[in-house]
Amino acid sequence: APPVEIVGESAAMDRVRALVQRYATSVGSSVLVTGEPGVGKRAVARRIHEAGARATSPFVLLTCAAMPGETLEPALFGVEAGAGRPRRPGAFEIAREGTLALASVEAVPLELQARVLQVLEAGTFRRAGGTLDVATGVRVIATSTADLEARVRAGSFRGDLFYRLSALRVDVAPLRARRQDVPALAD
C-alpha cells in the first residue's frame, strides 16, 4: 500500500506534519492524537508509524469503541490455550515490535485501563487465562475525540494512563478552522 499522506496546506496541517516527523523518531514514546471525528487522526497515527524506524514492523489498528469490554480484553491481550480452545494472540502480541493504534481509547473500560497501563510501564502482559508474562516492544499511538483530561477529572479515565499515553501529543484542528485545506482534500 502507498504511504499515507497528510493532506492540507494550512499552517495547522504544517504543524501536524512537523510533529509527525519529530515523533516518528521518538521510537518508544506513546503518542496521543486528538481531534474531532473525521479530522484524520488514524492517518496521523499510521503516518507516524510509516515515517519511523518501526515502519517494517506491523501496524495494528484496534477500534476500542467498536467492542464491548468482554471482547475488547481478548482483542487486546489474547487468550491462552486451554479448556478446548486454541491460543489466540491479541493486538499487543500481533503488533510485536511495531505500532498498536488504539482508536477511540476513551472507550476502554476502567478495569482494562489498568492492564493497558501495565503494558506501557512494564512492556509485558498476560493473555486471558494465562499465568506467564509475555514481553512486547510495541509502541502505542492512541486516538481520541473525547476530552480525556475532563474524563480524568470526572473519574472515568485513569490519570496515570492519560499521562503515559500523552507523552507526545498531536491535536488535529477541525476542517472549519482550516478551510484552505478543502480543495486539497476534495482532490
Side-chain angles (χ1 to χ4, degrees):
V4 170
E5 289 186 49
I6 297 177
V7 178
E9 304 301 322
S10 65
M13 293 314 287
D14 286 343
R15 281 190 300 276
V16 167
R17 277 189 289 278
L19 288 173
V20 163
Q21 283 308 121
R22 186 175 339 141
Y23 294 169
T25 62
S26 302
V27 178
S29 299
S30 298
V31 181
L32 178 62
V33 183
T34 60
E36 293 180 1
V39 297
K41 295 178 297 296
R42 292 178 186 192
V44 168
R46 184 173 288 277
R47 188 67 201 129
I48 291 170
H49 170 77
E50 291 174 349
R54 295 174 184 260
T56 58
S57 296
F59 176 86
V60 176
L61 173 67
L62 186 67
T63 305
C64 302
M67 303 179 184
E70 64 272 2
T71 58
L72 182 57
E73 182 176 14
L76 284 168
F77 305 107
V79 177
E80 193 60 66
R85 67 176 186 267
R87 184 170 70 184
R88 195 175 76 224
F92 279 108
E93 192 169 354
I94 294 167
R96 293 185 308 276
E97 300 297 317
T99 302
L100 173 56
L102 295 176
S104 304
V105 72
E106 69 274 10
V108 175
L110 270 172
E111 62 273 8
L112 286 183
Q113 290 177 25
R115 292 196 60 200
V116 172
L117 178 65
Q118 188 263 332
V119 176
L120 295 175
E121 289 178 340
T124 62
F125 65 92
R126 285 191 182 167
R127 294 180 198 99
T131 57
L132 299 175
D133 289 340
V134 178
T136 183
V138 72
R139 179 185 201 179
V140 173
I141 302 176
T143 72
S144 181
T145 58
D147 181 345
L148 291 180
E149 290 171 292
R151 290 193 178 206
V152 167
R153 288 189 298 275
S156 62
F157 201 86
R158 292 179 61 108
D160 48 4
L161 178 58
F162 169 74
Y163 293 112
R164 182 64 75 153
L165 289 172
S166 62
L168 303 172
R169 192 165 180 171
V170 180
D171 298 308
V172 184
L175 193 54
R176 67 180 168 281
R178 49 187 180 94
R179 293 191 190 277
Q180 65 270 40
D181 291 341
V182 171
L185 287 167
D187 282 346

